[in-house]
Amino acid sequence: MRRSHREVAQGVMRSLETYLQAFGPEALGWYMDDEGDPQELDEAGWTYIRTRMQQSGPLITLSDNPREAGPYQFEYFGKNHETPFFINNPHAVCALEFWLPTEFLEERGPARVRELALALAAPLPFNSGHVSLSLNALHQLAGVSDELRQLRRRYPGLDVHGLEHLSWHIGTRIRGPHWLTFLGPPVLGELGGVPGLRSRLTSPDISVQPLDAERALVILGEWPDAGDTAQGHTLPLHRELARVLEPWLYHEPPLRDPVAAEDTLRWERRFLD
């Protein structure tokens, strides 16, 4: 959301309440304090979180287990429009992320996940967003990054999260096609709105759902799909949407390491080349 934190804070809290209604308050039992240490999310903890949300540009992480990549997590990275760093960085945005376990998808079905995603997005003046199968991990642990790179090469439909970094660079661009891709201003308008977007998509398995005058949801098939390049399953629906969105797709800033830069570019263009 290319908005100041004070403009979106209420909507973020409403989305968080929707998430807790879906999974229960026990899904998020811990938070990170100002020193980066885990604290129990009891009544005093919630008072602390609500106070943080009233401040300028808060960074908030809530999880079910602070020492591992568990099934539930909420992250929010707020930005203050009035700070010089934000004013001089047109790509900085407020961003939030919710995790849910694949068991929820398997037990409740994709329609329930879509319903929840729409409810989470409803209070937010988003420019873009997505729902995807994801590789969630503690990136700071030795060997994790290498393993993630290998997995994402084989399974192109798996997302790899890194929201804090992304929130400083994505602006109003789109972070690739996903099972559910939320489009807002300015991209949807530049595509000609919902009619213009629909006219560019030909597969009967891709649907476009209008949300309001400026926002829409693109759905790639009934279920999310990880793909598998080893089996030749390269996700044709994702490739079709990628071609439509190519002029607006997000690309990582230049990396100093040429090997890492090449790997990143290959990942970003996995549905285009």
Side-chain angles (χ1 to χ4, degrees):
M1 299 170 286
R2 178 64 185 173
R3 302 286 189 96
S4 185
H5 166 68
R6 61 183 172 78
E7 298 178 70
V8 304
Q10 266 193 323
V12 171
M13 286 303 296
R14 284 172 58 195
S15 290
L16 179 55
E17 290 165 4
T18 297
Y19 181 77
L20 291 172
Q21 287 170 4
F23 298 107
E26 65 279 359
L28 300 175
W30 298 85
Y31 71 94
M32 293 295 177
D33 64 18
D34 292 334
E35 306 301 321
D37 296 321
Q39 304 291 341
E40 188 174 354
L41 193 53
D42 52 16
E43 187 174 342
W46 277 113
T47 298
Y48 169 84
I49 295 301
R50 293 187 183 97
T51 301
R52 287 281 302 276
M53 287 296 293
Q54 296 172 5
Q55 297 172 353
S56 174
L59 310 179
I60 295 174
T61 299
L62 313 177
S63 66
D64 65 325
N65 188 327
R67 292 180 173 84
E68 62 181 42
Y72 301 101
Q73 183 161 301
F74 164 82
E75 284 190 300
Y76 173 65
F77 299 94
K79 306 288 189 302
N80 181 2
H81 264 197
E82 287 72 35
T83 60
F85 194 82
F86 189 99
I87 293 172
N88 296 326
N89 183 352
H91 301 308
V93 297
C94 292
L96 68 159
E97 178 176 83
F98 295 96
W99 296 9
L100 64 154
T102 52
E103 289 83 357
F104 181 81
L105 169 67
E106 293 164 352
E107 294 168 5
R108 303 293 297 275
R112 178 66 183 102
V113 176
R114 290 195 298 270
E115 178 187 6
L116 177 58
L118 287 167
L120 294 173
L124 305 172
F126 62 83
N127 299 99
S128 70
H130 66 267
V131 178
S132 174
L133 297 174
S134 178
L135 291 164
N136 298 336
L138 300 181
H139 293 254
Q140 67 270 27
L141 298 181
V144 168
S145 294
D146 289 339
E147 187 170 351
L148 289 178
R149 273 194 293 270
Q150 293 176 25
L151 287 169
R152 75 180 191 178
R153 285 173 188 162
R154 177 167 179 177
Y155 303 105
L158 288 177
D159 191 22
V160 179
H161 78 98
L163 189 64
E164 183 173 14
H165 171 78
L166 190 70
S167 72
W168 286 110
H169 300 285
I170 191 170
T172 59
R173 291 164 291 177
I174 308 299
R175 193 170 174 267
H178 295 83
W179 174 50
L180 305 182
T181 303
F182 288 86
L183 298 176
V187 172
L188 186 61
E190 292 171 1
L191 282 163
V194 170
L197 177 58
R198 279 180 172 151
S199 70
R200 301 173 189 225
L201 297 167
T202 60
S203 172
D205 294 320
I206 299 178
S207 59
V208 181
Q209 179 177 341
L211 302 180
D212 59 31
E214 294 186 307
R215 294 173 179 85
L217 172 64
V218 185
I219 305 169
L220 304 182
E222 183 182 3
W223 287 81
D225 192 343
D228 188 344
T229 56
Q231 302 295 325
H233 183 27
T234 58
L235 301 177
L237 301 183
H238 289 66
R239 298 181 73 84
E240 181 175 342
L241 181 58
R243 289 191 293 270
V244 171
L245 296 179
E246 184 174 5
W248 299 276
L249 292 180
Y250 166 74
H251 295 286
E252 281 287 328
L255 301 174
R256 293 183 179 180
D257 182 346
V259 175
E262 182 180 354
D263 181 75
T264 298
L265 182 61
R266 187 184 302 116
W267 166 253
E268 291 173 345
R269 294 193 58 83
R270 66 197 184 280
F271 296 124
L272 294 168
D273 295 337

